[in-house]
């Protein structure tokens, strides 16, 4: 990976950066969970529906598990441990996540509240 030399580089506390990642992982789990009730009303066949719901549940559990793992190890990292996230943030494609990870501010709530209409997405 090459660094973008046009962007300013600022070192940040590694625990602060990791806590922003934890917040994003919890948000991903929340967004995945929101899909489950919608699947219950679709015309998906019984066995297929169960497999899809089990897959969603596993994705939520793994996402939350990763968040808790990072949260726990972050507690043992001293605030004096600094990192520069400029290059890593520049590789993130989703604008909201890029802003959250690069801003240095922990946000509360979710990126897509239940009352908000769906926004842009990135198709692979």
């Amino acid at each position: 990976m090459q660094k973008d030399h046009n962007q300013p580089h600022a070192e940040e506390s590694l625990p602060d950066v990791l806590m922003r990642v934890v917040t994003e992982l919890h948000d991903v789990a929340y967004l995945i969970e929101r899909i489950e009730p919608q699947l219950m009303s679709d015309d998906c066949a019984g066995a297929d529906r169960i497999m899809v719901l089990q897959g969603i549940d596993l994705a939520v559990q793994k996402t939350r598990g990763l968040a808790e793992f990072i949260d726990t190890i972050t507690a043992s990292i001293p605030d004096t441990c600094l990192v520069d996230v400029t290059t890593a943030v520049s590789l993130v494609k989703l604008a909201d996540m890029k802003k959250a990870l690069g801003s240095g501010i922990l946000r509360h709530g979710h990126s897509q509240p239940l009352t908000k209409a769906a926004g842009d997405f990135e198709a692979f």
Side-chain angles (χ1 to χ4, degrees), residues 10-79:
E11 290 186 332
E12 299 180 53
S13 164
L14 180 57
D16 290 345
V17 172
L18 290 175
M19 288 310 297
R20 292 197 309 265
V21 172
V22 166
T23 299
E24 289 301 310
L25 286 170
H26 280 297
D27 191 40
V28 168
Y30 170 76
L31 293 170
I32 294 169
E33 274 184 323
R34 287 182 46 201
I35 297 168
E36 286 181 300
Q38 295 170 4
L39 283 176
M40 293 306 287
S41 63
D42 286 345
D43 294 327
C44 190
D48 290 340
R49 178 180 291 169
I50 297 298
M51 287 177 54
V52 169
L53 290 174
Q54 286 176 337
I56 289 171
D57 188 52
L58 180 59
V60 169
Q61 289 179 37
K62 284 186 163 203
T63 302
R64 286 212 172 104
L66 286 169
E68 291 305 316
F69 176 81
I70 293 170
D71 190 17
T72 302
I73 64 170
T74 298
S76 66
I77 300 173
D79 287 337

